[in-house]
Amino acid sequence: MDYPVRPGTDTDRMRARILDVAEEHFRRIGHHKTSVADIASELGMSRANIYRFFSSKDAIRESVCGRIVNDAADVALTIARTSASPLEKLNQILTAVHRHTKMQSTEAKRIHDLITAAVRENWAAIKAHDERMIAIFEAIIREGMEAGAFEVEDAAEAARAVNTAFMPFVHPGLIEHCVLHSEDTEVALREQIRFVLKALGKSGNAGCPCSGL
């Protein structure tokens, strides 16, 4: 049966149900093999009614992608809101997000394939995720500047530099390459974190967590 579309919460709830089913199919058989008809059938809806909520399968894929990458950003935000020092927050975030991406490449391969396609094709969801991560980095860097832990002139510029420096450790294609060739990304990760934190901090900054990496 087709469900009536009502404004507000009901529409949001139905969109969420569609995305739940789509994500489950993507995880089980992959986004390429999942059709709008598969999603509609699971929900007892017609394809036409799915298109009342999403304009195309690509729109569904992008929305599912947005959900998934937001999980990593949520991890970063949770760490950013702790009472840890700015240095330690960056250390924890860079480590946690890298390990999340690496885990996904081995334990959720079909979702990893979706994110790889999104990065390769530069989907809006990936751009939005990058901007969210940069905003989190910027807030932490400003906090560090105010505490005297960081010595940079422009927090926004520094945040973008941190995001760029960290890209090899969250890029799904590069992570997959390292996993396939049994490369130890943890060693390179620690070296890069050490470099980033030293670049942000005052020389000889005591208590820098990079010294223990």
Side-chain angles (χ1 to χ4, degrees):
M1 65 175 286
D2 285 350
Y3 296 88
V5 179
R6 288 186 286 180
T9 303
D10 287 350
T11 298
D12 293 341
R13 189 175 296 120
M14 182 54 67
R15 285 175 59 89
R17 287 184 62 195
I18 291 169
L19 294 179
D20 286 343
V21 171
E23 182 175 342
E24 189 277 328
H25 276 68
F26 291 174
R27 288 183 181 277
R28 184 162 48 85
I29 64 174
H31 67 103
H32 287 303
K33 292 183 178 179
T34 300
S35 67
V36 173
D38 293 331
I39 299 167
S41 176
E42 182 78 17
L43 288 164
M45 300 169 66
S46 68
R47 285 195 307 167
N49 207 35
I50 294 286
Y51 289 129
R52 298 170 72 185
F53 297 93
F54 293 94
S55 61
S56 64
K57 178 183 170 180
D58 284 346
I60 295 173
R61 290 198 307 162
E62 180 142 0
S63 293
V64 171
C65 172
R67 277 181 157 195
I68 293 164
V69 296
N70 275 338
D71 287 344
D74 287 343
V75 169
L77 186 59
T78 297
I79 294 171
R81 288 172 171 168
T82 67
S83 59
S85 71
L87 285 163
E88 185 58 32
K89 286 178 183 179
L90 284 179
N91 176 24
Q92 290 179 13
I93 287 172
L94 298 177
T95 301
V97 175
H98 167 69
R99 289 176 178 170
H100 175 85
T101 305
K102 188 175 179 180
M103 177 276 297
Q104 190 166 261
S105 72
T106 56
E107 298 180 16
K109 184 63 171 64
R110 292 185 174 90
I111 288 299
H112 174 79
D113 291 343
L114 173 67
I115 305 304
T116 299
V119 171
R120 182 177 61 247
E121 298 167 15
N122 202 26
W123 293 2
I126 297 299
K127 294 179 182 178
H129 170 68
D130 282 346
E131 289 303 317
R132 187 180 180 199
M133 290 298 299
I134 289 168
I136 292 170
F137 291 146
E138 182 178 347
I140 294 172
I141 290 169
R142 289 190 187 281
E143 180 184 340
M145 292 168 66
E146 292 170 3
F150 297 153
E151 192 173 70
V152 295
E153 294 182 359
D154 188 322
E157 182 180 279
R160 292 189 179 277
V162 169
N163 191 63
T164 299
F166 189 53
M167 196 58 63
F169 301 95
V170 294
H171 190 289
L174 296 177
I175 292 295
E176 183 175 13
H177 173 85
C178 291
V179 169
L180 287 174
H181 291 83
S182 301
E183 296 180 12
D184 188 352
T185 59
E186 294 290 325
V187 171
L189 173 69
R190 289 194 295 271
E191 290 174 350
Q192 189 73 331
I193 292 175
R194 193 177 295 117
F195 173 80
V196 167
L197 296 184
K198 286 185 176 179
L200 290 172
K202 294 180 178 179
S203 60
N205 196 342
C208 175
C210 60
S211 60
L213 292 175

